[in-house]
Amino acid sequence: MEGESMSEQPGQGNPSRSKSQIAYHWIKERIARQEYTPGYRLVLSTIAKSLDMSVVPVREAIRQLEAEGLVTFETNVGAQVSMVDDSQYRESMQALSILEGAATALAARRLSEDDLRKARDINERMIESLGHFDPGLFTALNQEFHATLFSKCTNPRMVTLVEAEWARLGHLRASTFSFVPGRAQESVREHENIVRLIEIGAPLGEIEKVARRHRAATLDAYLVHEHPDETLGLPAF
């Protein structure tokens, strides 16, 4: 694959890393990129062959990933990528809707025409990607879009908190777009509306409300898809 990091190439990378750590990072990167999706069976011998090492360090890596909750092990089934943790996903998405909405509003008056043009360009790339939908790519572009809008937030602590929740979501490997691709089309339309509100100098309270609701709608889409009998979602801010 083009652009592979050195850590992705067997036998290379940081020479001080043990083989188990090489295997650990190799597997974890693929889980984060959703190359190994929830429920994916991790065959130790296959991974060991790919990394040109014995099964022993791979087994140690799997144990470490299991301790972190990224991998589960079942008798007669073996190791597999853990399913999405609903409770942690909800918590992060609920926190992110509030934090990102506020950060976007606090950045709105500092965004230049170039910033808004960049946000629109990213959104256009997201629209173009809908034809051959790749949830991982779409999620990465989505993060880049929002980062463009809140990066100039007047409260740097708010930005740190938003980025921490983004990192937590990456750790959970949860992309709602993987489960509900139809949400992607709604998302890009909402993106344009957020940019337009910033562009026309709408009240900051309105910008915050729309940005917050945008994130909440993504969680709602996931809940409706995964738990159709459950009506509890985020409140309509």
Side-chain angles (χ1 to χ4, degrees):
M1 179 184 294
E2 280 189 352
E4 279 193 330
S5 66
M6 292 296 286
S7 63
E8 294 176 308
Q9 299 175 27
Q12 298 187 42
N14 187 341
S16 66
R17 277 185 180 176
S18 66
K19 287 186 176 181
S20 65
Q21 283 301 298
I22 291 172
Y24 164 81
H25 288 287
W26 190 87
I27 298 168
K28 189 171 183 177
E29 285 172 5
R30 279 153 181 75
I31 292 174
R33 291 204 306 257
Q34 295 194 10
E35 184 177 331
Y36 292 168
T37 54
Y40 183 91
R41 222 179 134 215
L42 299 167
V43 181
L44 274 62
S45 59
T46 301
I47 295 172
K49 185 177 180 180
S50 296
L51 292 171
D52 192 24
M53 61 177 63
S54 72
V55 171
V56 175
V58 176
R59 186 178 293 113
E60 291 175 359
I62 292 295
R63 285 175 182 155
Q64 186 175 349
L65 291 164
E66 184 180 11
E68 293 180 6
L70 289 174
V71 170
T72 55
F73 189 88
E74 295 182 29
T75 306
N76 301 323
V77 175
Q80 59 183 17
V81 178
S82 300
M83 299 305 288
V84 172
D85 185 320
D86 273 1
S87 61
Q88 290 186 45
Y89 180 66
R90 291 186 208 197
E91 290 168 3
S92 279
M93 287 295 283
Q94 288 170 344
L96 195 57
S97 70
I98 296 170
L99 293 168
E100 198 171 82
T104 300
L106 289 172
R109 299 293 189 253
R110 303 178 71 183
L111 295 173
S112 65
E113 290 183 6
D114 286 342
D115 293 325
L116 296 179
R117 188 179 303 112
K118 178 183 177 181
R120 280 204 169 96
D121 287 344
I122 295 168
N123 201 43
E124 281 300 318
R125 289 168 61 194
M126 296 175 75
I127 293 171
E128 291 169 4
S129 75
L130 294 175
H132 302 282
F133 192 61
D134 178 343
L137 172 62
F138 192 89
T139 298
L141 289 171
N142 184 53
Q143 183 172 354
E144 186 180 354
F145 171 85
H146 286 289
T148 300
L149 295 187
F150 67 65
S151 62
K152 291 185 177 179
C153 174
T154 55
N155 185 332
R157 175 60 181 163
M158 189 78 71
V159 174
T160 299
L161 292 171
V162 172
E163 291 174 344
E165 287 306 320
W166 267 110
R168 190 164 184 256
L169 283 172
H171 180 71
L172 293 170
R173 306 159 323 286
S175 168
T176 303
F177 306 113
S178 299
F179 298 91
V180 196
R183 171 61 190 149
Q185 297 183 5
E186 298 172 358
S187 184
V188 292
R189 287 195 294 269
E190 292 166 9
H191 283 176
E192 175 55 35
N193 187 39
I194 294 171
V195 174
R196 183 186 63 81
L197 289 174
I198 295 173
E199 194 171 48
I200 65 175
L204 297 184
E206 183 179 357
I207 293 171
E208 179 178 359
K209 180 180 178 180
V210 171
R212 184 185 296 189
R213 185 59 206 154
H214 166 69
R215 179 63 60 197
T218 300
L219 174 58
D220 288 347
Y222 170 79
L223 293 175
V224 169
H225 184 270
E226 293 296 297
H227 307 282
D229 58 333
E230 187 177 316
T231 58
L232 180 60
L234 286 177
F237 295 112

